[in-house]
């Protein structure tokens, strides 16, 4: 099928607009339908994009995918540290390891924040930033609660999800949240407990 020859102004049936600039007149043609479709589609797309990639809680933000990638990388290098111990001092010492705290933070945001809040302030789960705890007296109890859960599964057990080393550094990360100020703090539950011991010199 060949295209019809272009119309000349004299053949035009469309109405002219009433303005004229330097002898140039303009047909009053409506904007084509396909243009409106493209415009509408990009408006809808941008709204969805904004929600998913800037306000997402499902780990779809640029920041979250960066920390997930970083976590995968650090997990790869985990091999070199051997088995970390789960006693109070060994756990507290991990707080000084910025690499491990980055891994633990990513794991916390990906797995724990739905219940404890991104910064540990507490939602369904308890506030981990305050001085009161329900199941914790010692730093090592954090490791135990993460491993086996608490309150008949209200706090799930994570021993199948995370390796021993990952649970040690998660415990260290949770210990480091104590005394920080979350954006929204859930009311304290349990009993106030003594401060963590000072980390022993290495
Ligand atoms: C399904 C919701 C949920 C998820 C997910 C969750 N928790 Fe919990 N967590 C809870 C609840 C509820 C409690 C309080 C249990 C109780 O009442 O004894 C709790 C308690 C705890 C405690 C003990 C606090 C205390 O005062 O005794 C720690 C530590 C903890 N969670 C860490 C974590 C970590 C780390 C993760 C992620 C690996 C995590 N939680 C994921 C719901 C959750």
């Amino acid at each position: 099928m060949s295209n019809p020859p272009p119309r000349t102004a004299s053949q035009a049936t469309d109405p002219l607009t009433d303005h004229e600039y330097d002898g140039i007149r303009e047909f009053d043609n409506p904007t084509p339908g396909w243009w409106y479709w493209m415009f509408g589609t990009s408006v809808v797309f941008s709204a969805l994009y904004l929600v998913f990639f800037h306000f997402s809680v499902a780990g779809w933000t640029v920041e979250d995918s960066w920390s997930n990638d970083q976590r995968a990388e650090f997990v790869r290098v985990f091999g070199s540290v051997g088995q970390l111990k789960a006693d109070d001092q060994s756990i507290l010492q991990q707080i000084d390891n910025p690499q491990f705290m980055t891994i633990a933070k990513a794991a916390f945001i990906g797995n724990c924040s739905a219940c404890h809040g991104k910064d540990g302030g507490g939602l369904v789960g308890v506030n981990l930033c305050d001085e009161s705890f329900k199941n914790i007296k010692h730093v090592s109890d954090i490791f135990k609660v993460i491993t086996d859960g608490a309150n008949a599964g209200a706090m799930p057990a994570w021993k199948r999800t995370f390796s021993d080393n990952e649970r040690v550094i998660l415990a260290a990360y949770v210990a480091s949240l104590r005394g920080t100020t979350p954006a929204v703090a859930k009311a304290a539950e349990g009993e106030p407990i003594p401060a963590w011991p000072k980390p022993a010199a290495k």
Side-chain angles (χ1 to χ4, degrees):
M1 205 176 90
S2 61
N3 288 329
R7 278 189 312 195
T8 61
S10 59
Q11 294 168 322
T13 52
D14 297 327
L16 284 164
T17 55
D18 55 7
H19 51 251
E20 176 178 340
Y21 300 105
D22 298 336
I24 299 171
R25 315 263 344 243
E26 188 189 6
F27 287 125
D28 189 10
N29 285 330
T31 313
W34 59 261
W35 191 94
Y36 281 111
W37 274 108
M38 273 175 51
F39 180 70
T41 311
S42 47
V43 169
V44 171
F45 178 81
S46 67
L48 294 175
Y49 185 93
L50 190 76
V51 170
F52 282 117
F53 292 103
H54 289 281
F55 303 121
S56 172
V57 289
W60 283 24
T61 64
V62 175
E63 198 186 2
D64 290 345
S65 72
W66 162 249
S67 42
N68 283 341
D69 289 352
Q70 225 178 15
R71 177 172 172 232
E73 170 61 12
F74 288 148
V75 166
R76 200 178 58 79
V77 297
F78 239 149
S80 60
V81 299
Q83 180 80 44
L84 299 171
K85 293 210 204 77
D87 59 81
D88 288 9
Q89 284 302 334
S90 305
I91 293 173
L92 286 175
Q93 276 168 10
Q94 308 311 322
I95 298 177
D96 297 333
N97 185 324
Q99 264 202 339
F100 285 177
M101 289 305 96
T102 310
I103 308 174
K105 184 178 183 183
F108 187 89
I109 289 177
N111 297 275
C112 322
S113 61
C115 293
H116 290 285
K118 278 202 169 189
D119 52 12
L123 293 167
V124 181
V126 294
N127 184 340
L128 297 171
C129 305
D130 61 14
E131 295 298 313
S132 294
F133 291 87
K134 290 175 84 175
N135 309 277
I136 313 286
K137 292 267 181 303
H138 307 283
V139 180
S140 57
D141 297 331
I142 304 176
F143 177 83
K144 288 181 193 136
V145 170
I146 295 173
T147 302
D148 296 321
N151 197 1
M155 161 67 184
W158 296 92
K159 58 172 170 281
R160 290 203 181 75
T161 313
F162 295 113
S163 68
D164 289 351
N165 278 358
E166 285 180 302
R167 278 178 279 122
V168 169
I169 63 168
L170 259 174
Y173 181 72
V174 170
S176 78
L177 290 176
R178 184 176 179 185
T180 60
T181 310
V184 181
K186 194 178 177 191
E189 290 169 74
E191 299 293 325
I193 60 167
W196 305 138
K198 292 247 174 306
K202 277 181 239 172

